Amino acid sequence: MIHVPEELAASQAKYNGEAGRAFIAALPERAEEFLDWWGLRVTGPSMYGVASLVLPVERVADGTRAALKMQIVDDETEGEPVGLRTWGGDGVVRLLDHDAGTGTMLLERLDEARPLTSHADTREALGVVAGLLGRLTAVPAPEGLRRLGDIAAGMLADVPDAVARVGADDAAVLRDCAAAVREVAGEPGDRLLHWDLHLGNVLAAGREPWLAIDPKPLAGDPGFDLLPALMDRFDPDDFLWRFDLLAEVVGDRGRAVAWTLGRVLQNGLWDVEDGEPGLDAEQVEVARILRAARG
């Protein structure tokens, strides 16, 4: 019997309700089905994140090491196999097989015991992320993915209601971030974005020193991909150095500022939707620093 961690069950119930509970209930049978279908055996304990269960496996026929990933198919996850196929392993984990009906994926096995978070030197670690960011966002997005233009339009439409539900200071942050997004929303970009590229989503590998995992692909401006890595080990005094490192990779610093404020807006709108008492303090500080940098 496959072990389903209680933490994964709790997160699925919290974020996906009845659909999440049904997903958890079906996981043991689903895992057994794909172990048999793809000729795999489990080689270690279950691994998990907020949304997925990952089993370390190997192919019975030849001993190839791999990872069996199971997750709910939704707006964020449905593009993962599309993005992985498009990147073809260049800077990112390779997709070995995929079942479109369930979203189950067989992935190249990386070293899950050595995420980039284990690298003590933050500047060196951010340099690794910058290198991967440049490679991943250099690729044109294929058809069929979520598009940043649609996401931006949806965020801007939600701002008036959100502003009415928060205090004056938080409302000012939301308005300023929305104003920055309006300036660039007419050219939302067409690059293939990872959307969640941070130290925890980069693992040590064999064929390259480090590879990205767990993308939530969309088509858009590379500037929208900076914030997750900027929030790792957040330090206001070091923030602009980090931002400039990543912004240089994506090319246009002004647009990178605007789209990073767009990510702050996205997170702030989620905070309001979730009924949080206020916007996240670190995100507010990011907005303050970037608004000052814009002049």
Side-chain angles (χ1 to χ4, degrees), residues 217-233:
L218 69 151
D221 190 297
F224 199 65
D225 247 4
L226 273 56
L227 187 64
L230 294 171
M231 301 312 298
D232 280 314
R233 304 172 188 169

Side-chain angles (χ1 to χ4, degrees), residues 3-17:
H3 172 63
V4 179
E6 293 180 4
E7 295 86 350
L8 176 61
S11 69
Q12 282 295 322
K14 176 180 179 180
Y15 294 112
N16 293 309

